[in-house]
Amino acid sequence: MACKITVMSFHTVAVSVGVLVVMMMHLQGLEAQQQPLVKGLSWNYYESRCPKLESIIRKQMEKVIKKDVGLAAALLRVHFHDCFVQGCEGSVLLDGSASGPVDSEKTAPPNLSLRGFDVIEDLRRMVHKQCGAGSVSCSDITAIVARDAIVLTGGPEYNVPVGRRDGITFATRNATLANLPSPFVPTGTLLTTLAGKGFDATEAVALSGAHTIGVAHCTSFTQRLYPTQDTTMDKTFANNLKVVCPTSNTNATTFLDIRSQNVFDNKYYVDLMNKQGVLTSDQDLYTDKRTRAIVTSFAVNQTLFFEKFVDVMVKMGQMQVLTGTQGEIRNTCSKQNSNGAVISTVIADHDMDNVASF
């Protein structure tokens, strides 16, 4: 269970009106029109074949989040981890082959802490019961679930382009590690990694805003506390983190956003301005001159953050999708329909130091 940190005191960062105007003009100039759709995807793909799809998912997600609000961040994270490795084709949902050692996305170190797979499978079962076997892909369900997780915790409503098909193979451990940004990386590395996937600096900062909900394990940030404290971390905040994580390998978690846990808003960016970001990859967004103004703009304007976040989520959700006759629509999200064996190789270790930041 995540421990709540109460910061007894923090400084408020003042921003001049002139600076804000410049930043707002800059970001508004970057504002993109609605993301173009990848060929094969559409806004109304299931209008005739499964018209109740989104209502089925929303009603069930309301029950899921009411029972365990922490699943909102977990299910959003599943979508992130799926899309960044091999594209948004549901490969992270696949179990390994039935025989021999397993080397799959799901068992790679960054994904060992993922949860919510049962929620997606339950929804697949409900949807297929309503609309027929093979009617809706697991990857489309995952994308819609991520959107609902955002909305049901206070975030923006938006339409999800659909029509994805499911992949039939998963990525290897090494491929997974290579494609998921680590919580330890500085902004320069994060920007380079995301630029390679087609995201600019504003989009990178917006994507990081997903950390307004969710938790981090002590091992993801205690290198900022021990043996010496990171100078970019507020002292009171650091002392509170040390209570949660008295040693560098304590098995505990803390909320990523100390101001509004389990609420999808812009307070995560306010945390960063006050040197209260938990992860290195988060706090460095405000330390780095290339992204500081973007963080500030999102911190003072939630509407702007929501607009940019929706835009980049739609863009991310179309990464390397399979459509048409590509892939398949799985009858079970964790298994291929075909009889072919999924690639399986030995995993050398489960080094949790490589857990991803997204």
Side-chain angles (χ1 to χ4, degrees):
M1 183 174 182
C3 298
K4 180 177 180 179
I5 293 181
T6 301
V7 178
M8 299 306 294
S9 64
F10 59 87
H11 65 279
T12 300
V13 180
V15 184
S16 71
V17 175
V19 171
L20 276 179
V21 170
V22 171
M23 290 188 298
M24 293 297 291
M25 289 177 65
H26 173 66
L27 284 171
Q28 286 171 356
L30 293 174
E31 191 70 36
Q33 299 300 314
Q34 187 177 60
Q35 285 290 334
L37 295 185
V38 169
K39 184 179 180 180
L41 298 186
S42 72
W43 302 109
N44 57 356
Y45 187 83
Y46 296 107
E47 189 172 56
S48 59
R49 64 190 79 192
C50 192
K52 294 184 179 180
L53 170 62
E54 296 213 16
S55 64
I56 292 171
I57 294 177
R58 178 63 63 89
K59 288 178 182 178
Q60 182 62 15
M61 281 293 290
E62 288 173 350
K63 296 176 183 178
V64 167
I65 301 304
K66 183 176 181 180
K67 184 177 180 179
D68 181 2
V69 68
L71 275 170
L75 289 164
L76 176 57
R77 189 165 175 247
V78 168
H79 183 45
F80 269 70
H81 282 220
D82 181 39
C83 290
F84 271 80
V85 183
Q86 258 182 210
C88 309
E89 34 73 87
S91 55
V92 74
L93 308 176
L94 284 169
D95 290 335
S97 62
S99 60
V102 176
D103 178 18
S104 70
E105 287 180 57
K106 189 182 286 187
T107 57
N111 293 335
L112 289 174
S113 59
L114 289 181
R115 66 190 187 102
F117 297 114
D118 56 330
V119 174
I120 294 171
E121 180 57 30
D122 286 344
L123 283 165
R124 194 277 312 159
R125 191 178 299 111
M126 295 170 67
V127 168
H128 284 194
K129 181 179 180 180
Q130 174 74 32
C131 301
S135 55
V136 180
S137 67
C138 295
S139 48
D140 271 348
I141 291 172
T142 301
I144 296 170
V145 162
R147 188 275 311 279
D148 285 0
I150 293 165
V151 173
L152 293 172
T153 50
E157 183 76 77
Y158 62 94
N159 293 324
V160 177
V162 287
R164 300 169 188 78
R165 287 170 64 85
D166 300 319
I168 57 175
T169 60
F170 47 63
T172 64
R173 174 184 185 274
N174 287 340
T176 304
L177 288 170
N179 283 281
L180 290 173
S182 161
F184 311 115
V185 300
T187 294
T189 303
L190 182 66
L191 293 180
T192 299
T193 299
L194 295 188
K197 295 184 179 295
F199 299 103
D200 62 26
T202 300
E203 291 169 328
V205 176
L207 280 173
S208 297
H211 286 174
T212 188
I213 55 175
V215 299
H217 292 264
C218 290
T219 51
S220 295
F221 61 83
T222 47
Q223 86 288 349
R224 301 186 66 203
L225 302 174
Y226 310 110
T228 57
Q229 183 189 313
D230 186 337
T231 57
T232 66
M233 183 180 285
D234 174 78
K235 291 182 180 180
T236 301
F237 179 57
N239 290 335
N240 284 326
L241 285 177
K242 289 177 181 177
V243 173
V244 178
C245 309
T247 66
S248 60
N249 59 353
T250 301
N251 184 24
T253 60
T254 189
F255 291 106
L256 286 163
D257 176 359
I258 66 171
R259 282 177 169 73
S260 55
Q261 300 89 355
N262 299 318
V263 177
F264 197 99
D265 57 19
N266 67 333
K267 297 301 186 294
Y268 156 84
Y269 298 105
V270 177
D271 294 337
L272 302 189
M273 291 181 69
N274 285 283
K275 302 174 71 173
Q276 293 160 349
V278 176
L279 306 177
T280 296
S281 58
D282 288 334
Q283 188 57 57
D284 201 49
L285 292 173
Y286 188 67
T287 304
D288 195 293
K289 294 179 180 179
R290 289 168 291 185
T291 48
R292 177 184 289 236
I294 304 169
V295 169
T296 303
S297 294
F298 289 163
V300 300
N301 188 335
Q302 179 167 281
T303 299
L304 179 64
F305 164 52
F306 280 3
E307 289 174 353
K308 296 304 294 184
F309 187 78
V310 165
D311 192 55
V312 75
M313 280 295 290
V314 172
K315 180 177 179 177
M316 184 192 78
Q318 300 186 78
M319 292 172 65
Q320 296 175 267
V321 293
L322 302 178
T323 61
T325 58
Q326 298 172 316
E328 63 185 12
I329 295 180
R330 293 187 211 133
N331 294 321
T332 301
C333 290
S334 60
K335 301 176 182 178
Q336 296 172 297
N337 295 340
S338 56
N339 294 323
V342 180
I343 293 175
S344 178
T345 54
V346 178
I347 296 179
D349 59 73
H350 285 177
D351 180 7
M352 285 304 292
D353 286 342
N354 290 307
V355 61
S357 63
F358 283 147

